[in-house]
Amino acid sequence: MNTEIKIIDILVYSNLLIVPLSLLLILVKNKLSNYFFATQFVFYQISFFFIPLIYFLISLKIINQTTFYLYIIGTLFIGSNYIFYYLINKSILHKKTKFDLIDFAHIIPIIFVVFFIANQYFESFEIKSSNILVGMIELQKMIFFRNTSNILLVIRVIYPTFYLFLATGLLVKILKTTSIINYSKQIKTFLHVLFISKIGYFIAFILGIIAILYNSQIIIELVKLLFLVFSLITPIYLIVEPKIISVITNFIVDTKKKENSQCDKKEVISILNNLISSNKLFLNTNYSIVNLSADSNISIIKIRETIKESGCNNYSEFINTFKINFAIDLINEGYLDRFSIESLSKESGFQSEVTFYRIFKKINGCTPKEYKNKEDYNMVYE
């Protein structure tokens, strides 16, 4: 048991030393042209730092009684950790350089939880033992599970899970675009480190729920170790790569400059046409205008304006022109001599044969079969 106490103490003190050091290095080593990403990341790291700090104060008997206000602050810090993780991934994918109004809507779930708590608790919570091993789990119970209300328990589990899934979805999109857009190896490594840290933290969180609900001391001890270990991963990486925040910020800002530069409409349509055609992106049914914006370094607004200038009403109609042109190429190569029209529609990226017929006729003024017959007729009399 004494060995375990020493291990826990080492991990707590490591957090207390390494996290501030990593934040100091960010401040000293990074010259930023935009502080948006750095601000989000610093708040993310601080939200990780809150619980080790409280553990430390408990172990020194500086905190013998935990008030309602500290309880609320703990809820805010831990809840915001997941939200800031999501916003960090969103900033990298969408090349964000400032907060949008919609970003502030993400604080709603935390505010809801805080008000729910405030409605039920207006008293102090005492941590009976100053021993750090007891203090840790008591603090976790207090912040997450003091109230055994099923409603509050579900809320506290749902919104971290929801934001983790959202952030993971953004990460997948980022990694999928790396074959086209030049994310540096440093940025990809940073995203992987963040993901590993967050997944580990989430696993500890879920195990903490199980441990508390079933009062399992073995899992409780494992949760403490996991949480403190995974809290160290990102700050240690920052000490090794202290300039990574500059790398990411410059990438975002430089990309925005390209987007906002006065680009000729013909040049934009040429970039889009080449990108979509050469990579056959129109065959991917999940490829959205957001993906196209990320891959082309052209803003969504400018893409929409260019699409309308080209004669299409929207992005879907624009992509369909590529699908139909691809279908025409297949017909000209004799595809319908060997396969059915249903097969042609699927090969061209359409999920419905009816939709394929309708769009083909709208663009070409005839059905695929009529087009083939006309081409066969022309070949005979040439």
Side-chain angles (χ1 to χ4, degrees):
M1 193 70 177
N2 290 333
T3 305
E4 187 181 7
I5 293 173
K6 289 180 181 178
I7 292 171
I8 295 289
D9 285 342
I10 288 168
L11 289 171
V12 170
Y13 283 106
S14 296
N15 270 277
L16 291 173
L17 292 171
I18 292 174
V19 174
L21 177 60
S22 67
L23 293 176
L24 179 63
L25 285 173
I26 288 176
L27 183 65
V28 173
K29 294 288 186 179
N30 293 273
K31 293 182 180 179
L32 305 175
S33 54
N34 182 281
Y35 292 92
F36 174 71
F37 181 82
T39 302
Q40 292 178 97
F41 185 74
V42 167
F43 275 111
Y44 173 73
Q45 282 302 105
I46 290 173
S47 65
F48 256 128
F49 187 61
F50 174 77
I51 287 184
L53 178 61
I54 297 298
Y55 292 167
F56 174 68
L57 296 176
I58 291 170
S59 70
L60 295 181
K61 300 182 182 180
I62 294 172
I63 295 178
N64 292 318
Q65 190 177 43
T66 307
T67 66
F68 169 77
Y69 301 105
L70 187 60
Y71 180 31
I72 293 296
I73 291 169
T75 301
L76 289 170
F77 269 98
I78 293 174
S80 63
N81 182 269
Y82 288 90
I83 292 172
F84 276 114
Y85 177 63
Y86 165 72
L87 292 175
I88 284 169
N89 281 274
K90 185 179 178 182
S91 296
I92 295 175
L93 177 63
H94 298 307
K95 321 299 183 302
K96 288 170 65 68
T97 55
K98 61 181 180 180
F99 276 108
D100 296 328
L101 192 60
I102 195 170
D103 291 331
F104 293 98
H106 295 294
I107 65 172
I108 291 174
I110 297 178
I111 292 174
F112 181 80
V113 170
V114 167
F115 273 97
F116 197 102
I117 293 168
N119 189 47
Q120 300 182 54
Y121 299 104
F122 287 96
E123 60 185 32
S124 296
F125 299 115
E126 185 178 353
I127 294 178
K128 295 178 181 178
S129 171
S130 60
N131 182 290
I132 190 167
L133 289 175
V134 178
M136 283 183 181
I137 198 61
E138 285 296 320
L139 184 71
Q140 191 174 18
K141 283 181 181 179
M142 180 189 69
I143 291 173
F144 284 111
F145 313 109
R146 186 77 181 204
N147 183 354
T148 56
S149 162
N150 289 331
I151 296 173
L152 189 57
L153 186 62
V154 168
I155 291 169
R156 286 173 171 173
V157 172
I158 282 178
Y159 84 82
T161 306
F162 175 71
Y163 277 99
L164 181 64
F165 272 102
L166 281 182
T168 303
L170 292 177
L171 177 62
V172 170
K173 284 184 180 180
I174 291 170
L175 297 178
K176 276 186 175 180
T177 61
T178 53
S179 60
I180 302 169
I181 190 167
N182 190 28
Y183 286 97
S184 69
K185 186 179 179 181
Q186 283 177 293
I187 295 176
K188 287 186 277 185
T189 303
F190 170 83
L191 289 168
H192 281 111
V193 168
L194 231 60
F195 179 71
I196 292 168
S197 174
K198 193 76 234 151
I199 286 293
Y201 183 78
F202 184 73
I203 290 170
F205 168 66
I206 297 299
L207 287 176
I209 296 172
I210 296 169
I212 291 166
L213 292 178
Y214 293 96
N215 197 25
S216 171
Q217 192 61 36
I218 295 174
I219 301 178
I220 283 171
E221 303 307 323
L222 177 62
V223 167
K224 297 170 193 173
L225 290 170
L226 282 176
F227 173 77
L228 291 167
V229 167
F230 282 102
S231 294
L232 285 170
I233 291 177
T234 304
I236 288 173
Y237 173 76
L238 288 172
I239 291 171
V240 176
E241 291 281 354
K243 294 183 179 180
I244 186 62
I245 304 302
S246 280
V247 172
I248 295 171
T249 301
N250 291 338
F251 169 75
I252 292 171
V253 171
D254 289 347
T255 303
K256 275 292 177 186
K257 284 180 181 177
K258 289 178 184 177
E259 289 180 1
N260 295 328
S261 62
Q262 294 300 317
C263 200
D264 186 274
K265 287 283 195 306
K266 289 182 179 179
E267 186 181 350
V268 173
I269 198 68
S270 175
I271 291 170
L272 297 180
N273 285 340
N274 289 335
L275 181 64
I276 294 168
S277 298
S278 60
N279 294 282
K280 294 186 178 178
L281 300 176
F282 53 88
L283 296 178
N284 182 353
T285 55
N286 296 318
Y287 194 82
S288 67
I289 193 169
V290 174
N291 300 125
L292 183 59
S293 175
D295 292 344
S296 63
N297 287 336
I298 299 170
S299 69
I300 291 175
I301 293 172
K302 187 164 283 188
I303 290 175
R304 282 181 175 145
E305 288 175 353
T306 305
I307 285 173
K308 286 187 177 179
E309 289 279 335
S310 69
C312 297
N313 293 319
N314 51 48
Y315 173 76
S316 178
E317 194 173 305
F318 179 65
I319 287 295
N320 283 337
T321 60
F322 289 91
K323 294 179 179 180
I324 295 302
N325 287 336
F326 184 71
I328 288 173
D329 288 339
L330 291 176
I331 292 172
N332 291 338
E333 291 170 6
Y335 188 91
L336 289 179
D337 294 332
R338 293 166 290 142
F339 303 101
S340 66
I341 291 177
E342 182 184 1
S343 175
L344 176 64
S345 69
K346 289 180 180 177
E347 192 73 22
S348 305
F350 288 95
Q351 293 181 309
S352 165
E353 185 180 352
V354 174
T355 304
F356 171 63
Y357 255 106
R358 178 175 55 79
I359 294 173
F360 191 100
K361 190 167 185 178
K362 181 180 177 181
I363 291 175
N364 295 290
C366 60
T367 66
K369 188 118 183 176
E370 289 170 346
Y371 179 88
K372 179 186 180 302
N373 292 336
K374 185 166 62 175
E375 288 300 304
D376 291 344
Y377 179 84
N378 290 338
M379 286 180 64
V380 170
Y381 287 94
E382 274 184 357

